[in-house]
Amino acid sequence: MSSLITSTALVIPIITLILGFIIGYLAQRSGFCSIGGLRDLFMFKHTRLFFGYLALIAGSFLGYFIFWAIVPTAFPNFYWLANQTDPLTPIPGAPGGLTTLSYVVLAIIGGFGMGIIGVLLGGCPLRQIVMSAEGNVKSLFFVAGTIVGAIIFHTTIMQLVQLIMP
Amino acid sequence: MEKENQNKSFLRIIRIPAFLGITIGILAALVQALLINAGGPEAYGFCVACHTRDLTNAVVNAFTGASLGIAPFSATTPVLTIVGVLIGGYIAANRKKEFRLKMGSILSYALYFFGGIAVINFALLVGACPYRLALRFGYGDLIALIGILSIAGGVAVGSILLLFYMKRRDM
């Protein structure tokens, strides 16, 4: 693996801060929300936000394709499933050492849980952060919950998953 | 005059969600092209859940000496994506005079707090929030597609619950 910047430690906070700033600014202007897009589609047949999410999928493929063509060394596993004997293997970085079936089950449980709670609370994690930046105190408590939840996941849930999932 | 028109059309385009969708995709790929040397994982340029986790655990580890899990990408220096989103959202809202303090009841605060705990735990089970799922699917990961379809299923069930609740309230 080799990227354009070789000594990364100092620039990571700066680059991610700029990235977050751009996304946060545009998300506030456009009301972007992944779960909200699906909700508007199902409940009101509105497609505005849903097309935003579709554009994200298309844009990520396009972006990876363009930069893979320029700097192939930075994208060693693009296009991942084309090089796998089992097309359901997740890309490296998922909780390690589980069987394919476990990853499928975890994806279904995790996705379904995010979807149902997200729609009942009015937005996906990004939308909640943007809403708390707009002054919504309820969303601020949601963000505080994600911070506490991250610690809970790594102190208990993760071990539990590795204990019970094959 | 022409410049003014250009400015106006640009202002209109940043209000279109699809424009932000494509922007996130391309920026995430650019971040990976710049920073994959930090150690990956791949398709990790932008993720609300994972970057929140990385920042939180980095801070906790630094102050308590614990060793909670962090992606190699942010093991040496923390990622500040979430801070950036907060600042960007606040500046955008403030500039357009859309910043308004909205309070809720103690019960709603508790509900949102536990909702946040649940959502990030579900997200970390898949290893991705809805945004990184899209990035991973664009990168060629079929598990991510299963995750996206499951989100759609969860939203469908949640929408039915919401419609049911709205109907009952109207009666």
Side-chain angles (χ1 to χ4, degrees):
Chain A
M1 286 195 282
S2 173
S3 54
L4 294 176
I5 299 176
T6 43
S7 170
T8 50
L10 284 175
V11 288
I12 282 180
I14 302 166
I15 289 183
T16 50
L17 189 68
I18 296 170
L19 169 86
F21 182 88
I22 297 171
I23 292 173
Y25 194 96
L26 293 178
Q28 201 281 328
R29 296 316 303 145
S30 61
F32 193 90
C33 180
S34 54
I35 288 171
L38 290 164
R39 174 201 60 203
D40 288 356
L41 182 73
F42 293 151
M43 285 176 76
F44 313 111
K45 304 276 180 285
H46 287 178
T47 51
R48 184 182 159 86
L49 288 175
F50 179 65
F51 283 151
Y53 192 63
L54 288 187
L56 171 59
I57 297 174
S60 65
F61 177 75
L62 189 74
Y64 285 129
F65 186 77
I66 293 171
F67 286 103
W68 168 76
I70 302 171
V71 214
T73 47
F75 302 88
N77 290 314
F78 182 80
Y79 198 78
W80 174 254
L81 70 92
N83 304 317
Q84 303 304 311
T85 44
D86 180 356
L88 284 176
T89 321
I91 57 172
L98 303 177
T99 59
T100 308
L101 181 66
S102 304
Y103 286 120
V104 173
V105 171
L106 286 180
I108 292 174
I109 296 173
F112 191 84
M114 271 194 283
I116 194 164
I117 299 175
V119 76
L120 291 178
L121 297 185
C124 63
L126 177 72
R127 182 79 193 127
Q128 299 284 359
I129 297 177
V130 172
M131 284 198 291
S132 52
E134 289 172 346
N136 189 328
V137 182
K138 285 191 280 188
S139 297
L140 202 60
F141 271 87
F142 183 95
V143 177
T146 59
I147 291 169
V148 176
I151 301 170
I152 294 175
F153 182 82
H154 280 273
T155 46
T156 50
I157 308 285
M158 180 94 156
Q159 279 88 330
L160 206 64
V161 166
Q162 275 169 340
L163 209 66
I164 56 176
M165 300 297 271
Chain B
M1 187 64 198
E2 203 176 82
K3 183 124 193 267
E4 209 168 273
N5 278 343
Q6 270 179 357
N7 275 345
K8 269 201 183 132
S9 62
F10 184 71
L11 283 182
R12 217 172 298 137
I13 205 172
I14 68 170
R15 305 212 52 160
I16 301 172
F19 172 71
L20 175 57
I22 292 176
T23 309
I24 295 179
I26 290 176
L27 285 180
L30 174 65
V31 166
Q32 179 167 340
L34 293 172
L35 297 176
I36 192 72
N37 262 23
E42 290 159 75
Y44 200 69
F46 179 67
C47 174
V48 177
C50 318
H51 287 193
T52 305
R53 184 266 321 269
D54 284 352
L55 182 57
T56 309
N57 287 1
V59 172
V60 170
N61 289 351
F63 278 100
T64 66
S67 52
L68 301 176
I70 296 180
F73 179 67
S74 34
T76 42
T77 44
V79 285
L80 296 178
T81 325
I82 305 308
V83 183
V85 172
L86 264 176
I87 299 173
Y90 175 72
I91 289 180
N94 217 15
R95 274 190 59 185
K96 302 292 170 184
K97 305 207 167 21
E98 285 176 8
F99 182 86
R100 218 164 283 120
L101 212 56
K102 276 193 213 120
M103 312 293 276
S105 61
I106 301 285
L107 187 69
S108 71
Y109 291 156
L111 198 67
Y112 272 74
F113 184 73
F114 287 111
I117 292 179
V119 164
I120 197 160
N121 276 289
F122 282 124
L124 291 174
L125 280 181
V126 208
C129 69
Y131 298 91
R132 186 166 180 240
L133 280 178
L135 296 181
R136 274 171 60 177
F137 182 47
Y139 209 72
D141 185 342
L142 273 188
I143 293 281
L145 179 64
I146 296 174
I148 292 171
L149 293 176
S150 310
I151 290 180
V155 172
V157 174
S159 300
I160 293 170
L161 288 175
L162 278 181
L163 283 175
F164 180 73
Y165 174 74
M166 279 158 67
K167 264 197 199 121
R168 235 183 43 170
R169 200 182 48 181
D170 287 344
M171 270 196 302

